[in-house]
Amino acid sequence: MVDVLPLVEARLRSALGEPDARAAVTFLGTDRLEVLRFHEGDVVRYATLGMSAQPMSDPTAMLADPVAGPRAELVLSVRSGASDTDKVLRPLAVLAASPQVEGVVVAPGSSLDVGEPLWPGAPFTSVLVAEPGGLVEDLDLDEPLDPVRFLPLLPMTPNEAAWKRVHGAQALQERWLTSGTDLRDPSRRSVPLD
């Protein structure tokens, strides 16, 4: 089998430049996960590396398929300087480990919750998984492997997450758009939801 992680890191570097920091986290029973940090102007991007080493499998399947299944990495973009967003490394690694630990398939439109602020003082405890392809293009792998998708994460306040559960991801994204919400603002308030 091909080791996909060097290919994934090369794709991240070609799209985002050279990382200026990286951290590794290992959870009991999981493969090592890394989070790379990239700076571009006043925006800092955090990208996971390691989630795509294994395909995500259907949690109802009796056995996980070692080859077939979606592969992904997570990318979070925030404005730098306003908050200590570097503390998001561990929560991001927790989210990236969720397919191995909890057997979830992370896909656009889904919500991921860490149960605590994403970084100290953050008004967000969860993220909305957005559509891939805008910032980092999918990485095609040789058949029969699925491509690696780079999924943007959009931080949600607890009120937004509850509203999304009722109305859906598309409705929340439309609400953000019509309100002109800066989703990269690390201390933004919840969008009006009435």
Side-chain angles (χ1 to χ4, degrees):
M1 280 318 286
V2 63
D3 182 2
V4 303
L5 296 185
L7 302 173
V8 169
E9 184 168 354
R11 176 56 55 95
L12 286 168
R13 286 171 184 263
S14 70
L16 305 176
E18 286 298 310
D20 65 355
R22 64 193 310 144
V25 179
T26 304
F27 301 103
L28 188 62
T30 68
D31 296 328
R32 172 186 158 124
L33 293 162
E34 289 187 271
V35 179
L36 309 180
R37 184 182 70 191
F38 302 86
H39 272 97
E40 180 185 323
D42 69 338
V43 174
V44 61
R45 302 186 198 285
Y46 302 94
T48 63
L49 179 62
M51 182 177 169
S52 62
Q54 303 295 326
M56 294 180 275
S57 59
D58 182 345
T60 62
M62 293 296 282
L63 291 172
D65 189 321
V67 177
R71 295 174 187 260
E73 296 291 351
L74 308 175
V75 180
L76 174 69
S77 300
V78 292
R79 297 213 182 287
S80 61
S83 299
D84 188 7
T85 56
D86 280 351
K87 300 284 193 217
V88 77
L89 300 178
R90 185 166 179 78
L92 262 184
V94 167
L95 297 177
S98 60
Q100 287 184 51
V101 174
E102 300 171 26
V104 299
V105 175
V106 178
S110 58
S111 301
L112 302 173
D113 196 316
V114 294
E116 61 185 36
L118 291 175
W119 54 83
F124 319 107
T125 59
S126 62
V127 293
L128 174 65
V129 181
E131 290 291 333
L135 187 61
V136 183
E137 288 184 29
D138 292 354
L139 172 65
D140 290 325
L141 302 173
D142 293 335
E143 292 288 339
L145 303 179
D146 285 21
V148 177
R149 302 172 85 197
F150 298 88
L151 302 172
L153 301 179
L154 308 175
M156 293 188 292
T157 65
N159 285 346
E160 290 170 339
W163 198 85
K164 181 253 175 197
R165 280 192 293 276
V166 173
H167 299 280
Q170 184 65 37
L172 178 58
Q173 289 178 306
E174 287 171 8
R175 187 62 63 109
W176 282 335
L177 190 60
T178 57
S179 296
T181 305
D182 180 3
L183 296 174
R184 293 179 180 167
D185 181 350
S187 55
R188 71 170 180 84
R189 297 185 182 276
S190 181
V191 69
L193 298 171
D194 40 323

